[in-house]
C-alpha cells in the first residue's frame, strides 16, 4: 500500500515538474520541423534538402535569395560580366566577418569552391561548378586578386550561372574550425537530434533579423510532426499529411504554393512500346482529375516537363503545351504493362488511379502495379533493367527551365529512360550557352515540342510545397523554390 | 558457477562472428546503395564515392577490413552521415534508448508484478478479473495504436503533456508509459499464473501449517520460485526495451537506437547496420546469460 502511495506521488511530481526550458517570451525563438535528419551541416558535404534548409540560415553565398525566392546580392555587393560573357567579377561587401569576428575574404570563397570539386570530398553537388573553366592543372579558374574581389572564368556563356550561386554548396569555407557567415550561427548540434541556431551578430544585415533563436527538429514521420504542430511545440512544419487537405474549412495555417518539381512516368527506352502506344497511354490520363480529385492538394496538371513560372534566364517560362492530343488512328495498346513506384501512400493512390484510367480506355491492356522500396527502384533505374513504366520525380536545384529538360540529356545521370536524341542534346547545349532570354525561350519551346512528340516520359503533375505555419509567425512568403530563410520571418507579439 | 560464466562468455565470440557474417552478406545483397538518391549522381561521382568508402573491393576484403577495425574498437565511418563515425552515432543514440528502456523496464516490472500478485492472491474475485482484463488489453492493442491515442488525449486535447521529444522530465511520461504497457501486461499475466502454481505447492502448505499465515510471509516464500518464468521472459524483453522500440521512437520523435535501426537499413548505411546488429546481439546474449545465472539465485535446485 505504501509503495502505491509513493508511486502515485512520484507520478504527480513528474507531471507537475516545471519545464527547464527558457521562458519563450524572453527570447524570440521559433521551432521548425525538418522532413529528415540532416546528414551533415557542412555546406560542401551536405546531400539532402533537409540539410539545405539549415544551411540556408547558417551560410550566405555570393548571391542569396530574398523572401520571395528571387536572387539578390549576398556576400557580393556588385558583380560584372565581361564583354565575351565568360568572366564574372564579384566585389564583396566591405567589412564582412565570420561569426567569431574574423575577416571574411574572397580566398574563403576560393577555398569553399575548391573543396566542393575536390576528389576526396566526393561532394554530391560538385556539378554546380561544371560551367567554370578548369586550368591546365585541373584546378578551377577562380582567383582572388585581393581580399574583396573574386574573378570566375567560365568555359562558355552560361545563362543560369548566377542562379546557382545561391545554393548552400557554394558557400565560403573558413580555414580550420567551422564558422558561419549567414544570419545565424550554430549553438548546439548533434547528428541525430535537434539543431539550435542563434543570431549571428557579425552578419552584415544582423539588424534586420527579428528572430533570435531557431530550433530545427527532425521528424521522420509526418504524423508526429503534425501532432507536435497541433500541440503547439512546432511553429513551422516541413510537410503536411494528406488528411489535413480534406478538412472543411481549410485551416489558415496551411500554406501551399507551386513548387519547382515535376512527377512523371519514365519509359525504359531500351525496350519500350511503340511511339503511338506511348502517346495513347499519355493521352488516356485525365490529369485534371488526378490533381483535383485524387490527390487534391493544389497540384497542377503537367503536359510538359517545364513548370509554369520557372525562370528561363530572366523571364518566366510559359509552356505552350496545354494538353495531349489523342491519336486518331493506329492500333490500341494491348498486352501487358507494369507500373513501378516507390512505396508510399500517395504513390499507391496515383498508381491505382492510372491503372483504372488505362483499364477503361484500353480493354486489351493489362496493367500491373509493382511497388518497391525507394532504393531498389533507383538501382533498377540506374541499371536500366526495369520493364514498363517507372514513377519518378525531379526537383530543380535552382530556378531555371533547362533544369527540367536536363533529365533527358543522353549522358545525364538522371536519365532513367535511356532516351538519347542528338537533336535534343544539341538544343540543350545551345540553351545552356546563350544569355539571350528570347533566344532561350525559342530553344526551350523547340525542345519541349521534341520531347512531347516522342514521349520518352509521361509528365503527370507539378509539385506544390506544403507547410503548416503557426499564426504567431509572420513574413512567410510562398515561392517556387520553397526557400524560407528564418531571417525574413518575424514573431507577432501576442 | 564462475567457470560456467566464463565458458558462456567465451562462447559469445563465435556466435557474434556468425551473426556478423550473415548480416554483412544480407545487407550487401539488398539492391540499391547508400549513395542512390532521386538527384542521381554522374557515374564518375558514384565511382569516386564507392572507392572512397572501399565499396569497390571484393566482399571478403571489405569484411576483413571491417573486422580489423572492430578489433581496434572502430566500427567504421557512417555511409550516410559523412562527418560522423558509427561509434559516435551509436554513442549518441544508445544513452537515450537505454534511459527510456530502463525506466520502462522498472515501471513494467514494479506495476506488472504488483498487479499480477494481487490478482493471484484474490483469484477469481473482482480485482482479479479487472486486472487481467486490463492486462489483456495491454497485450492485444498494438503500440502504434496506443501511442497516438495517448498523444491525442494528453498532448493535443488536454495539453497536459508534450507530444514529442525528450528535453524535460515531463517528456518522458508518455513514451515510458507506452513502452512499458505491453511488458507490464505480460508480466502481470505471467506472474499471476506462476504464483497460482507455486501457491499450490507442498512447501507452502507446510509453511502455513507451521503457522506462517500472514500474506507477507507467504509472499516471501512464494515469490522467488514464482519469478522464474518471469525472469525467462524478461531476458529478451529487456534486450528489446533497451535497444529501442522502433514504433515508440518514431511516434514520439525520439533520437534513439530503434529509429536508427530503421533509418540505417533504408539508407543502406552498411557500417551502421552492422554496428547496431552487433550491439543488439551482444545485449541479447549477455542478458540470456544473466537470466540463466538468476535461475541459480531463485531456485536452489539449480546448480552449475
Amino acid at each position: 500500500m505504501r509503495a502505491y502511495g509513493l508511486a502515485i506521488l512520484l507520478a504527480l511530481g513528474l507531471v507537475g515538474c516545471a519545464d527547464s526550458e527558457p521562458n519563450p517570451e524572453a527570447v524570440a525563438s521559433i521551432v521548425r520541423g525538418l522532413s529528415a535528419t540532416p546528414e551533415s551541416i557542412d555546406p560542401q558535404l551536405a546531400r539532402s534538402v533537409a540539410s539545405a534548409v539549415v544551411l540556408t540560415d547558417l551560410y550566405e553565398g555570393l548571391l542569396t535569395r530574398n523572401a520571395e525566392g528571387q536572387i539578390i546580392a549576398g556576400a557580393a555587393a556588385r558583380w560584372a560580366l565581361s564583354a565575351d560573357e565568360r568572366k564574372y567579377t564579384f566585389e564583396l561587401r566591405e567589412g564582412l566577418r565570420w561569426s567569431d569576428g574574423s575577416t571574411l575574404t574572397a580566398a574563403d570563397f576560393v577555398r569553399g569552391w575548391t573543396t566542393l570539386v575536390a576528389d576526396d570530398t566526393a561532394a554530391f553537388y560538385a556539378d554546380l561548378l561544371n560551367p567554370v573553366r578548369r586550368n591546365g592543372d585541373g584546378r578551377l579558374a577562380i582567383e582572388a586578386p585581393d581580399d574583396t574581389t573574386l574573378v570566375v572564368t567560365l568555359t562558355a556563356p552560361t545563362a543560369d550561372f548566377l542562379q546557382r550561386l545561391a545554393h548552400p554548396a557554394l558557400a565560403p569555407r573558413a580555414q580550420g574550425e567551422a564558422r558561419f557567415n549567414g544570419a545565424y550561427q550554430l549553438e548546439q548540434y548533434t547528428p541525430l537530434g535537434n539543431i539550435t541556431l542563434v543570431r549571428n551578430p557579425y552578419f552584415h544585415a544582423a539588424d534586420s533579423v527579428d528572430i533570435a533563436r531557431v530550433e530545427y527538429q527532425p521528424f521522420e514521420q509526418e504524423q508526429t510532426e503534425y501532432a507536435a504542430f497541433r500541440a503547439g511545440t512546432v511553429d513551422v512544419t516541413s510537410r503536411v499529411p494528406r488528411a489535413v487537405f480534406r478538412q472543411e474549412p481549410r485551416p489558415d495555417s496551411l500554406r501551399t504554393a507551386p513548387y519547382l518539381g515535376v512527377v512523371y512516368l519514365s519509359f525504359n527506352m531500351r525496350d519500350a512500346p511503340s511511339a503511338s502506344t506511348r502517346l495513347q497511354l499519355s493521352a488516356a490520363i485525365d490529369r485534371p482529375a488526378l490533381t483535383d480529385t485524387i490527390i487534391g492538394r493544389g497540384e497542377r496538371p503537367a503536359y510538359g516537363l517545364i513548370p509554369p513560372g520557372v525562370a528561363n534566364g530572366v523571364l518566366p517560362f510559359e509552356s505552350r503545351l496545354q494538353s495531349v492530343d489523342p491519336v486518331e488512328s493506329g492500333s490500341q495498346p494491348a498486352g501487358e504493362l507494369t507500373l513501378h513506384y516507390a512505396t508510399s501512400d500517395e504513390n499507391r493512390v496515383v498508381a491505382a488511379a492510372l491503372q483504372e484510367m488505362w483499364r477503361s480506355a484500353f480493354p486489351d491492356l493489362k496493367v500491373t502495379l509493382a511497388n518497391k522500396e525507394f532504393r531498389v527502384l533507383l538501382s533498377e533505374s540506374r541499371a536500366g533493367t526495369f520493364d514498363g513504366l517507372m514513377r519518378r520525380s525531379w526537383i530543380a536545384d535552382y530556378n531555371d527551365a533547362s533544369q527540367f529538360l536536363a533529365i533527358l540529356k543522353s549522358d545525364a545521370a538522371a536519365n532513367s529512360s535511356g532516351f538519347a536524341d542528338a537533336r535534343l542534346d544539341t538544343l540543350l547545349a545551345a540553351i545552356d550557352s546563350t544569355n539571350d532570354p528570347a533566344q532561350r525561350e525559342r530553344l526551350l519551346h523547340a525542345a519541349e515540342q521534341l520531347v512531347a512528340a516522342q514521349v520518352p516520359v509521361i509528365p503527370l503533375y507539378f509539385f506544390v510545397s506544403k507547410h503548416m505555419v503557426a499564426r504567431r509567425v509572420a513574413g512567410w512568403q510562398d515561392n517556387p523554390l520553397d526557400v524560407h530563410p528564418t531571417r525574413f520571418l518575424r514573431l507577432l507579439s501576442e | 558457477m564462475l567457470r560456467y560464466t566464463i565458458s558462456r562468455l567465451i562462447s559469445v565470440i563465435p556466435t557474434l562472428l556468425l551473426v556478423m557474417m550473415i548480416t554483412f552478406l544480407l545487407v550487401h545483397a539488398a539492391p540499391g546503395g547508400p549513395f542512390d538518391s532521386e538527384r542521381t549522381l554522374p557515374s564518375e561521382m558514384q565511382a569516386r564515392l564507392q572507392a572512397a568508402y572501399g565499396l569497390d573491393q571484393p566482399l571478403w576484403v571489405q569484411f576483413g577490413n571491417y573486422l580489423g577495425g572492430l578489433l581496434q574498437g572502430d566500427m567504421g565511418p557512417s555511409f550516410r552521415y559523412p562527418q560522423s563515425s558509427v561509434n559516435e552515432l551509436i554513442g549518441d543514440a544508445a544513452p537515450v534508448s537505454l534511459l527510456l528502456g530502463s525506466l520502462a523496464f522498472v515501471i513494467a516490472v514494479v506495476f506488472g508484478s504488483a498487479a499480477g500478485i494481487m490478482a493471484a492472491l484474490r483469484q477469481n474475485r473482482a480485482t482479479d478479473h479487472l486486472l487481467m482484463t486490463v492486462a489483456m488489453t495491454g497485450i492485444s492493442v498494438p503500440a502504434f495504436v496506443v501511442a497516438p491515442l495517448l498523444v491525442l488525449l494528453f498532448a493535443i486535447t488536454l495539453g497536459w503533456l508534450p507530444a514529442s521529444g525528450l528535453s524535460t522530465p515531463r517528456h518522458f511520461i508518455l513514451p515510458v508509459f507506452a513502452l512499458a504497457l505491453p511488458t507490464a501486461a505480460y508480466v502481470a499475466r505471467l506472474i499471476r499464473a506462476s504464483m497460482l502454481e507455486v501457491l499450490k505447492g507442498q512447501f507452502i502448505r507446510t509453511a502455513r501449517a507451521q503457522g506462517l499465515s500472514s500474506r507477507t510471509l507467504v509472499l516471501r516464500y512464494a515469490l522467488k520460485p514464482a519469478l522464474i518464468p518471469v525472469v525467462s521472459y524478461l531476458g529478451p524483453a529487456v534486450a528489446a526495451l533497451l535497444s529501442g522500440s522502433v514504433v515508440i521512437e518514431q511516434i514520439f520523435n525520439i533520437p534513439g537506437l530503434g529509429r536508427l535501426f530503421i533509418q540505417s537499413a533504408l539508407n543502406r548505411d552498411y557500417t551502421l547496420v552492422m554496428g547496431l546488429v552487433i550491439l543488439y546481439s551482444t545485449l541479447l546474449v549477455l542478458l540470456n546469460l544473466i537470466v540463466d545465472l538468476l535461475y541459480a539465485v531463485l531456485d536452489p535446485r539449480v546448480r552449475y
Side-chain angles (χ1 to χ4, degrees), chain A residues 4 14-15 17 19 21 39-40 47 119 122-125 127 191 218-219 224 373 375 382 392-393 397 413, chain B residues 33-34 36 38-42 45 48-49 79-80 82-83 92 114 167-168 170 250-251 253 263 266 268:
Chain A
Y4 278 121
L14 278 177
V15 173
C17 240
D19 273 326
E21 282 160 9
E39 71 287 335
S40 171
R47 302 173 187 172
D119 274 351
F124 266 41
Y125 286 98
D127 53 341
F219 286 93
T224 312
E373 194 227 320
R375 271 165 210 271
R382 204 164 15 102
R392 295 298 301 273
S393 64
D397 291 325
Chain B
D36 288 334
E38 191 74 83
R39 186 187 186 276
T40 329
L41 297 173
M45 178 113 290
R48 225 182 296 166
L49 278 166
F79 284 46
R80 168 143 180 92
Q83 292 165 284
D92 280 341
S167 28
T168 69
R170 277 176 68 204
Q250 294 273 42
I251 292 176
N253 205 38
Q263 290 308 317
L266 292 176
R268 305 287 191 279

Side-chain angles (χ1 to χ4, degrees), chain A residues 13-43:
Chain A
L14 278 177
V15 173
C17 240
D19 273 326
S20 57
E21 282 160 9
N23 186 350
E25 309 298 311
V27 162
S29 78
I30 65 166
V31 176
R32 295 179 66 162
L34 292 172
S35 57
T37 314
E39 71 287 335
S40 171
I41 50 164
D42 181 311

